[in-house]
Amino acid sequence: MRKIVVLLLLSLCGLAAQAGVKVNTLSSPSGNIEVTVTSDGDCLTWAIKSGGTQVLAPSVIQAVVDGKQLITGTGRVGRMQMITSTVKPPVYRKQEVANTYRMLVLKFSQGTTVEFRAYDDGAAYRIGIGNKKASQVDDEKVEFRFAGDYQAFVPYVNDLRGGERYSYSFESYYDEQRLSQMFPDSLAITPLCICLPDGKKAVVMDCGVEDYPGMMLKKGDGTSLTSEFAPYVLEQKVLGQGGLNMISTKRAPYIAKISGVRMLPWRAVVVTQNDADLLNCDMAMRLAPACRLTDASWIRPGKVAWDWWNNTNVWGVDFESGMNTATYKYYIDFAAKNHLEYIIIDEGWSGRESLTENLNPAIDLRELITYGNSRNVGIILWSSWRNMIGNDALDGSATMERYMKHYSEMGIKGFKVDFFDRDDQQVIASAYRMAECAARHHLLLDYHGLKPMGVSAAWPNVLNFEGVKGLENSKWEPRQGDGPLHNQPRYDVTIPYLRMLCGPLDYTPGAMDNATRDNFFGNNNHPMSQGTRAHQVAMYVVFDAPLQMLADSPSKYMREQATTDFIRQIPTTFDETIALSGELGEYVAIARRKGSTWYVGAMTDWTPRTIQLDLSFLGSGSHQAQVFADGVNAFSSKEAMDYKLTRSTVKSSDRLSVQLAPGGGWAAIIK
């Protein structure tokens, strides 16, 4: 059925139109972006220009519901106006988000609408369904046609769970290739970047996804991209990843079941004049659902001492380290001493099939909660998604309610929910239900195996998402030739422009053993990072993560107390963010303000470079800067752990010349 639907959608614009052609033009507030919407019988397209650059050639918009195309006729203008508003997220990288755009709404038969928005940094549309009866969305046609065979940064789906096409962790390195060279049989996730002429970038993404599958992309004809959605799940069972995943074993010939009047997710294209503009783009927040919490004051972002990456490996103690009460008391002591808000107890504390039965007898949760409370350190627990919802449930509301009520009353502060590894309609709906349930019980959430889609705006107790090739990959990274297989520092200076566009990322930084390209190797019990110590420290400024990990062993952090003292001063949410400079895949520099203090971070790939930082964002007068920089032996590629801590006086008129070692970094705290 779905193959027939796709063929129908692909042929729509080849049909002769009998009802004439209607063209509507929508310009952004500054006139920088122009959207042209053409309605031609049964074919609706949109195109985007930025100045003199054709960003998007006419691209089809359509959906098939209950076997019939949803958008028919030429439509009529229902509304065209300028909108100016402000979003004030409870948890974000800035206090306020300006939401200013021009809007066009086209109305079609049976209550169908298509809403377009033109922002100064991009454009978006979404389809509205006016049919009040229960329906099935057979497919949605989202197309992005580009005017040339441009270079692209493509995050392909790989490492399928149980061999199922749509079950995947949403973690991808980027293939850098031309649109025509994309692999026709492969899916890619969003955001996906296209390099336009004159240094401009176009980034394709979906936003505000709720009770609907996430959008994946694949190669279309010529130099186009087209959508593919995970079909609706009919049957599933425990498979893959040691039994941690719920894998679909039977899917429907449709992608979603809907009922009543509703809007489908936004399809957006961010367009920037220079790469640095991507570092502070708020498109995802503008297009996300409104906050549904009337009181978010209980939400406490912060930093976390995390056990899994360092394999609970501590030393200089009189107990055997591991998943036991004594070890986690040690983590709590470390967190308290360094003013960290939380520790995480990761996989292994609970039974494989339950969160309340067959618990690890070596871990006394009640004792740890009491001990943590006495030190002002909260505890977050790990869970798989399938355990949190119950193995056989496609809904899981009763199971998650029981677990969350139990552990909230016990004193647990939140859950890290892992191995979603799908974004079909049921999983997205589950993520929202889980967030609402956790909010009622004042629990924080950290979602793994998902990328951000809007749920954290609606329910800001969802602080983090994984969906990133983070530091964990260093534990098993193989060598190829004279270095590691993957260029992690290049990835590190790519994701702030792309993956971070859709929301925060649980990269889990903080490695204290750091390696040059020549001497890096994977090691489970004593893992290391690619790049310098300063590269790791700068991540605490550059990467958005309201729940930010300290991934290494407390014993190492105490050994490296000067580094730890610097890291612990950096907040995890901010009042203001400024993109200073950068080039996608090359380097990045960001400044963030909390109160009257500025935090500046810069990172580079394996290429050493000198960058200029304009400090005009500072207020008047003199300011004291504490700087964490690459040491002299990091530049010689001898010792990546070499760093230099200095203090200086700076002013807003200064332009700092910052030197970055291979795989290097730089961070400053300016008061």
Side-chain angles (χ1 to χ4, degrees), residues 28 67 79 97 206 235 238-239 308 355 456 463 557 634:
S28 67
R79 206 167 21 146
V97 173
D206 56 346
E235 296 176 6
V238 177
L239 284 172
W308 182 88
L355 298 183
S456 57
L463 295 181
Y557 286 121

Side-chain angles (χ1 to χ4, degrees), residues 231-254:
Y232 192 85
V233 174
L234 297 176
E235 296 176 6
Q236 61 183 3
K237 67 178 181 180
V238 177
L239 284 172
Q241 291 294 309
L244 293 172
N245 285 114
M246 288 289 285
I247 305 297
S248 168
T249 55
K250 184 178 180 181
R251 291 186 181 267
Y254 49 86

